[in-house]
Amino acid sequence: MASTVNDHTGARPGYGQLLRTRGAWTFLLPGFLARQPFAMLTIGILLLVEHTTDSYGIAGAVSATAGVAMALFAPQSGKLADRFGQGRVLMPGVVVHAAAISLLITLALADAPLWALFAAAVPAGASTPQIGPMVRARWAAKLEGSPLMPTAAAFESVTDEFTFVIGPVLATALCTSVHPAAGLVTEAALTLIGGLLFAAQRATQPVPSRTAAGGHEKSASALSVPGVRVLAVSFLGIGAVFGGMQVSMTAFTKELGEPGLNGLMYGTFAAGNMIAGLICGAIAWRVTPQRRLLIAYPLLVLATSPLWAAHALPVLGGLGLLVGLCIAPALITGYTLVEQLVPTNARTEAFTWLTGAVGLGQAAGGAIGGKLIDGHGASTGFLVPLVGTAAAVVVLLTLRKALTPKGESRIAARGVGHREPVPVD
């Protein structure tokens, strides 16, 4: 690991230097393919179930069930990956996921009872492969102590958001022009193929803690770190933005008689996130990530405030772009803080707690937004992102001290309960 750090010492935090990291492309390319389905799952479920039940409330609830299951099981998947290796967890996981999606599609098209749809949504969400956190863990292992780590966090946020530009557009196009189930069929196929290809890249995966500890030492949970708990709660607010925007934009475009533009609207929102991510990753920040996070969240609250008042697609597209621009700094900074707060052998789990929190917030946002839309119209669903982000700001301001590692300026964390001095430049 030391040689990796030395290779990057003094490097400018640019994307070119990052992408020249030895072995990076061997996991980036299959990882990019494997993470595409993540952005297609909830919108695919939403569109299929709304088609078969004609209710956004039911569709949002089924989609939320999958999101909750994903949020609850993702950290356990990450912990297993930290302990036994990513490949050993991924290979059976993607097979189970493809089978679960096939079952959900079959039940929905057969007009099965609602309880059966909810039951099938649980394994569909629980088995969702956590490719994004696994890629981030590989970067963290390669760039331990490197100034390129914030750039890697930004790059991953951009990659995630690029999938949210492509995924919803692709899923919507397939569901509206090919078949209501076509989005989920494609999601399952990409998960299976991409996940197996990524799992095969074992040379770049972090050393499993079971191997590193000789099979005797049990690693501590990432959730034992107070800062991870605070970040996870605050990331629920970001998830509420994704869930609220997704169901509200779907209903809004349908209300105006333009359902095919839903993917474009959501893609515009995600494009703002991607653009901001590119900018954030290109900046050599002098402001601490803790302070950046406390600036980014209030800006997100301001950006989501006027959404409920939008009454035309161009206005909604512009506001969605603005919200996307404000999400990326919060996401990137949160993932960057994990590298400071959590030891290497628990980072996959830590990243999955954050990703799972986003998924849980997205599920809750979609379900609550769906209920509001069914009762009061599409515009009311946009109140969900505002309330979710406002609550996250309160949590961050109240518990902000947990985000600062003890002795941050003089020492670096090397494990739970054990810290070693490092030189200060």
Side-chain angles (χ1 to χ4, degrees), residues 42-295:
T42 54
I43 187 68
I45 294 175
L46 182 73
L47 292 171
L48 174 61
V49 177
E50 192 278 330
H51 173 80
T52 57
T53 65
D54 198 30
S55 170
Y56 283 104
I58 293 174
V62 175
S63 179
T65 300
V68 170
M70 187 275 288
L72 293 177
F73 281 86
Q76 305 311 314
S77 172
K79 192 167 187 176
L80 289 173
D82 281 329
R83 183 162 175 76
F84 297 103
Q86 295 179 359
R88 289 187 176 181
V89 173
L90 264 181
M91 287 188 174
V94 295
V95 174
V96 171
H97 183 73
I101 293 295
S102 299
L103 175 61
L104 179 58
I105 292 172
T106 301
L107 291 172
L109 294 178
D111 293 324
L114 291 181
W115 67 264
L117 295 181
F118 284 109
V122 173
S127 59
T128 304
Q130 300 300 309
I131 302 297
M134 289 183 180
V135 173
R136 285 183 168 92
R138 294 190 186 213
W139 278 124
K142 275 190 162 292
L143 302 175
E144 180 78 26
S146 167
L148 284 171
M149 191 57 214
T151 308
F155 180 81
E156 286 307 305
S157 179
V158 171
T159 304
D160 280 341
E161 290 318 307
F162 187 55
T163 68
F164 275 95
V165 173
I166 297 174
V169 175
L170 178 60
T172 301
L174 290 170
C175 290
T176 56
S177 62
V178 179
H179 189 276
L184 283 180
V185 171
T186 304
E187 187 272 347
L190 288 175
T191 297
L192 185 62
I193 297 170
L196 291 176
L197 289 174
F198 182 81
Q201 307 303 315
R202 295 177 181 260
T204 54
Q205 72 175 2
V207 177
S209 60
R210 183 182 180 186
T211 302
H216 300 293
E217 183 181 341
K218 185 177 180 180
S219 58
S221 171
L223 205 59
S224 65
V225 180
V228 174
R229 297 197 294 269
V230 174
L231 287 172
V233 173
S234 66
F235 268 42
L236 288 171
I238 292 180
V241 176
F242 286 123
M245 294 288 280
Q246 194 172 76
V247 69
S248 300
M249 284 182 164
T250 300
F252 192 85
T253 52
K254 187 174 182 179
E255 198 173 85
L256 294 182
E258 298 286 352
L261 293 180
N262 172 49
L264 178 61
M265 287 291 101
Y266 197 79
T268 302
F269 158 65
N273 198 342
M274 184 174 65
I275 293 168
L278 285 169
I279 295 172
C280 287
I283 296 175
W285 294 99
R286 295 186 178 182
V287 180
T288 64
Q290 292 82 1
R291 184 171 296 180
R292 296 204 307 270
L293 198 66
L294 294 175
I295 295 173

Side-chain angles (χ1 to χ4, degrees), residues 8 59 93 190 348 413 417 424:
H8 297 285
L190 288 175
T348 303
V424 178

Side-chain angles (χ1 to χ4, degrees), residues 394-409:
V394 173
V395 171
L396 283 173
L397 291 177
T398 304
L399 303 174
R400 60 187 180 275
K401 290 184 179 180
L403 301 176
T404 303
K406 295 180 180 179
E408 182 183 41
S409 62

